[in-house]
Amino acid sequence: MTAVEIAKGVFWVGAIDWDIRNFHGYETRKGTTYNAYLILDKKTVLVDTVKEPYKETLVENISKITSLEKLDYVIVNHVEPDHSGSLEHVMQHAKNAIIVTSKRGKDELEKYYSTNGWNFQVVKTGDEINLGSRTLTFVEVPMLHWPDSMFTFLKENMILMPNDAFGQHLATSQRFDDQVDQSLLMNEAAKYFANILMPYSLLIPRKIEEIRRLGIEPKIIAPSHGVIWRSNPEKIVKAYIDWSEGKTRSKAVIVYDTMWGSTKKMADAICLTIGNRGVEVHLFNMRKSDYAEVLKEILESKAVILGSSTLNSSMLPSISAFLTYVIGLRPKNKIWACFGSYGWGGGAVRTIMEMLKAAKFDVIEPTVQVQFAPSREELKMCRDLGQKIADAILGSANTKGQVALKEVEENDIED
Ligand code: FEO
């Protein structure tokens, strides 16, 4: 993919990574892109670079428009190596370029690279650089999602370049939002938010407000991963506000692993009960599912139910690893429950509950635990847990039709 002009004198010069399938633990089944932007004015500017293996692609794309030697500024919105990995290569040619970054950005660049001889210009929120006929404005956005993170706004073209924010891990030959399937796009944007930005949810509405107060109302949002939002940038901004406020719908996610099938039977009983109440429910066996997809489903869910067989007085490793991951992402406005099976001493349910409570998650009790294999009575306990969760999701209103559904459900369950 060669350079693409996204507005007069503004070019996408990035790279498409069709192959990547894991981004520090985030399974990227659709690959990704590393977007960099070139602005031609009296001054020539490169906004961000690309991951190091794609440095020649970046240089080739730039070379079709200008030469690296002519760069006056290189903006580093974010130091993570998927965006700064080609910086040393660029700076070997762009000897006169000034690197524009936040204070933390400069500190981090000096840790990552040999910066001897590089000229820096440290910027803070509201600072501007005049390019001739156009102006760049900078906004610091610390912890969205690194301390160094910064947005760059090209004022006259009303293009916001927010680096990771509003991105999607989506490799495509298309560069714009209106050229790709909308449900795929929002799915990947939601997955990206859930797995990268969710821990910083509190900051997002505040930052969006601050940006609006600065008079920044972008017509185009050009992130550093995935496609560029040009048809309706407000759509992704609104989605970010909803997700960061923890907006949920009538939906539950069950995540489990099973040793000999007992915990699976329990999971199936809970799943069927919740589904029969008209609640959207997703069931994931964590030994066969990827974290990123599960987190995307959790994002708008009201309930998360965790199940595990006991192994060595604790939960199965897939559930332990997943719990560590999900607790770190701090999902908001959920209720949590758990269930599991054991042979003799038990431990899975206890250790899951300890972790949920230590994370200060809102937990529904009692849990359901069964020895070896669930009896009819114990499967009824699982269905009761499912009813309780459905009640909590639906509130007290939706009782009509519940009896009929319950009858169907009891006949549906294989003990
Ligand atoms: Fe796309 Fe935080 O790097």
Side-chain angles (χ1 to χ4, degrees), residues 180-194:
V180 296
D181 178 87
Q182 292 303 293
S183 112
L184 168 73
L185 173 61
M186 291 314 290
N187 211 46
E188 292 305 323
K191 195 188 287 185
Y192 187 96
F193 180 94

Side-chain angles (χ1 to χ4, degrees), residues 143-206:
M143 298 323 295
L144 290 180
H145 69 125
W146 273 25
D148 57 88
S149 297
M150 175 176 101
F151 291 178
T152 297
F153 185 57
L154 183 59
K155 221 191 229 179
E156 289 73 11
N157 293 89
M158 300 172 88
I159 301 175
L160 183 67
M161 289 163 278
N163 197 268
D164 277 333
F166 310 116
Q168 331 92 48
H169 283 315
L170 178 60
T172 164
S173 58
Q174 311 291 11
R175 296 278 61 82
F176 298 100
D177 59 341
D178 48 285
Q179 296 172 321
V180 296
D181 178 87
Q182 292 303 293
S183 112
L184 168 73
L185 173 61
M186 291 314 290
N187 211 46
E188 292 305 323
K191 195 188 287 185
Y192 187 96
F193 180 94
N195 286 276
I196 295 179
L197 292 158
M198 192 153 61
Y200 313 108
S201 289
L202 268 179
L203 301 171
I204 290 169
R206 286 187 219 153

Side-chain angles (χ1 to χ4, degrees), residues 23-24 32-34 78-83 144-146 148-149 163-165 169 192 196 224-225:
F23 206 103
H24 49 56
T32 195
T33 70
Y34 311 108
H78 176 34
V79 177
E80 195 164 6
D82 52 325
H83 306 294
L144 290 180
H145 69 125
W146 273 25
D148 57 88
S149 297
N163 197 268
D164 277 333
H169 283 315
Y192 187 96
I196 295 179
S224 289
H225 296 292

